[in-house]
Amino acid sequence: MSQNTSQTRPLRIGISARLLYQVPPELGFRNKTLQYLEQSLSHWIMAHGAIAFMVPAVAEDSRRAARHLSVFDYVNELDGLVLQGGADVSPQSYGQEPIDPRWAGDPVRDRYELALLRAFIQQRKPVIGVCRGCQLLNVAFGGTLYQDVMTQYAGAHAHVDAELYDQLEHEVSFLPNSQLARLYPSESRLRVTSIHHQAVAKLGKQIEVEAVSSVDGVIEAIRWTGDGYARGVQWHPEFHLDRRALADSSPIILDFLNEARTAALARLRDRDCADQRMPRAPLNLPFEAPATDPAKEAPAAAKA
């Protein structure tokens, strides 16, 4: 390793964990709770030269761990946070009761992720929320959600399809002069994945809309306008990596990673900063289409 490399480090990005309480028997974890992340999300981060770390939740029966570590111990070691998708946000987290038992959500995960989110905001480290993470960002600042878009939002079209899953797509339109629109200067609309039956309703304090569904106006992207960086997108940009028909996801992650680096560089001025290595700039790599002809891949595989 060269001296220059030894004096630098990659950005360290935390990803909140998904929680699985009822594990399928074939996985072999009887009566256990799993914490996990979806690999596309970590690859989205890693593809731009940053390291991804899953941040485990402290469960209700793990108070011993909570006595030794606080959420700030994790935040201190990381440069930014990505809140990943998954189970519904609990209506109880924004002062409501479930309209349908199926929409009760996961209050345990809500408490864990809200604590993480607030700690990162407090330390001026950037946050980006994907799908559920976008909804939770709004809730964190006092906003509410549509528990089910199809039954609570007049004129809504389908934003989720169990059979199509990430193949369900629609367009989103930028609000004029939004910061998200500036990341795509030659576009006024993006084609994105759609995998959500809940959505932002009443906006939280200092939350502004950056994009809406072009079909029905459902809010699809938000930004916190306070003293820091926090953005939420309702779609899954990490699912776009190998699909040219969908929006390029690089501008969103690069904006987030550049903000993380700027904040990390500012911390280097603090003499108490334990790691004085220079955080590396994120990689802005060109989009690579997936191989479609297996025969073309055979020589490379044989060579390897």
Side-chain angles (χ1 to χ4, degrees):
M1 181 179 294
S2 68
Q3 183 179 4
N4 183 53
T5 304
S6 68
Q7 294 175 352
T8 66
R9 66 168 179 85
L11 290 166
R12 300 182 290 246
I13 304 302
I15 303 175
S16 63
R18 293 187 181 215
L19 309 182
L20 182 62
Y21 304 105
Q22 297 180 346
V23 182
E26 59 268 24
L27 294 184
F29 293 92
R30 184 180 300 175
N31 301 322
K32 301 298 180 184
T33 295
L34 298 187
Q35 302 192 20
Y36 67 100
L37 59 85
E38 201 284 322
Q39 74 171 14
S40 295
L41 192 64
S42 57
H43 288 179
W44 184 42
I45 295 166
M46 295 161 63
H48 295 282
I51 297 179
F53 295 88
M54 190 185 79
V55 183
V58 176
E60 298 295 328
D61 59 352
S62 301
R63 294 305 182 189
R64 182 176 300 176
R67 288 200 299 267
H68 302 294
L69 291 171
S70 74
V71 65
F72 286 100
D73 290 311
Y74 278 107
V75 179
N76 289 339
E77 300 298 325
L78 299 169
D79 299 308
L81 173 69
V82 177
L83 298 167
Q84 65 172 322
D88 289 347
V89 175
S90 172
Q92 295 178 344
S93 295
Y94 48 92
Q96 297 181 11
E97 291 299 321
I99 298 173
D100 187 304
R102 295 173 298 171
W103 309 332
D106 187 347
V108 173
R109 181 175 171 187
D110 291 353
R111 289 192 292 271
Y112 145 68
E113 287 189 311
L114 285 168
L116 270 181
L117 167 59
R118 288 163 178 157
F120 272 87
I121 292 291
Q122 184 175 337
Q123 293 200 18
R124 306 285 180 86
K125 296 182 178 182
V127 177
I128 187 166
V130 172
C131 197
R132 169 196 161 90
C134 173
Q135 298 166 9
L136 196 73
L137 176 63
N138 188 58
V139 168
F141 290 96
T144 65
L145 305 177
Y146 293 112
Q147 294 185 33
D148 183 66
V149 170
M150 291 297 290
T151 57
Q152 292 187 289
Y153 188 94
H157 78 103
H159 285 262
V160 65
D161 185 303
E163 294 298 322
L164 289 175
Y165 188 54
D166 63 345
Q167 300 300 310
L168 182 63
E169 307 168 1
H170 68 80
E171 287 190 342
V172 300
S173 300
F174 297 130
L175 266 67
N177 302 316
S178 66
Q179 287 196 9
L180 185 60
R182 295 188 190 107
L183 298 182
Y184 295 87
S186 62
E187 306 286 346
S188 61
R189 294 185 175 190
L190 299 178
R191 190 158 189 83
V192 302
T193 55
S194 186
I195 316 173
H196 62 101
H197 81 98
Q198 299 192 318
V200 170
K202 186 189 79 173
L203 292 175
K205 295 179 180 178
Q206 296 184 287
I207 295 289
E208 70 175 21
V209 179
E210 293 205 299
V212 299
S213 166
S214 304
V215 181
D216 57 17
V218 166
I219 293 172
E220 292 279 345
I222 59 175
R223 183 177 70 89
W224 178 56
T225 61
D227 189 10
Y229 180 108
R231 164 172 285 132
V233 293
Q234 186 61 74
W235 64 91
H236 283 265
E238 73 276 19
F239 291 170
H240 294 192
L241 294 180
D242 59 355
R243 294 164 65 184
R244 282 196 176 277
L246 299 179
D248 180 6
S249 60
S250 297
I252 293 173
I253 191 66
L254 286 170
D255 186 61
F256 166 74
L257 292 176
N258 279 314
E259 185 70 22
R261 184 171 187 261
T262 298
L265 288 170
R267 290 192 299 275
L268 288 179
R269 295 195 291 267
D270 186 348
R271 293 183 179 180
D272 293 331
C273 180
D275 190 345
Q276 289 292 323
R277 292 177 298 167
M278 188 76 66
R280 298 175 203 155
L283 302 176
N284 187 2
L285 302 177
F287 179 84
E288 294 183 4
T292 55
D293 185 355
K296 293 181 179 179
E297 293 297 297
K303 185 183 294 184

